[in-house]
Amino acid sequence: MLNSKQVDALVEQVKDELDKEVNYSLTHVEEDELKVTGRTCIDFSTFAPHLKQAQKYINTHNNPIWELSLNLISDDIEITIKCSQIML
């Protein structure tokens, strides 16, 4: 289980990587959702312009701490912190 400082550090790292490498800035709601659950959903049409950069970043980095997936039910992009065991 991660403590709040560790969770904050992971979320900050994801936020920085998305901002610098993918050119996407998490909203405050998305950032809070990551802190609480280790996962956040972004509307597909909002994130679509950043998909190619995200794919390139994921493919060129050895082991990013986050992963990207498409939720086929909601059509949202999900960003998940890989190693998180965030417990409420």
Side-chain angles (χ1 to χ4, degrees), residues 2-82:
L2 301 172
N3 65 40
S4 63
K5 287 183 182 183
Q6 291 169 318
V7 171
D8 288 345
L10 287 173
V11 170
E12 195 62 34
Q13 183 178 345
V14 171
K15 184 179 166 184
D16 287 345
E17 289 177 8
L18 286 170
D19 190 37
K20 292 175 185 169
E21 303 293 338
V22 181
N23 201 28
Y24 181 80
S25 297
L26 290 174
T27 66
H28 293 294
V29 172
E30 293 163 351
E31 187 176 343
D32 288 344
E33 197 175 24
L34 263 180
K35 286 180 182 179
V36 173
T37 67
R39 178 176 67 96
T40 191
C41 296
I42 304 168
D43 182 68
F44 182 81
S45 60
T46 302
F47 197 79
H50 308 279
L51 279 174
K52 191 167 215 112
Q53 287 175 292
Q55 179 187 16
K56 182 179 176 183
Y57 176 74
I58 290 168
N59 288 337
T60 58
H61 284 73
N62 196 12
N63 193 17
I65 66 162
W66 54 275
E67 60 188 7
L68 197 65
S69 60
L70 174 62
N71 182 321
L72 295 174
I73 296 170
S74 66
D75 287 334
D76 287 336
I77 295 292
E78 293 182 356
I79 295 175
T80 306
I81 298 175
K82 284 184 183 178

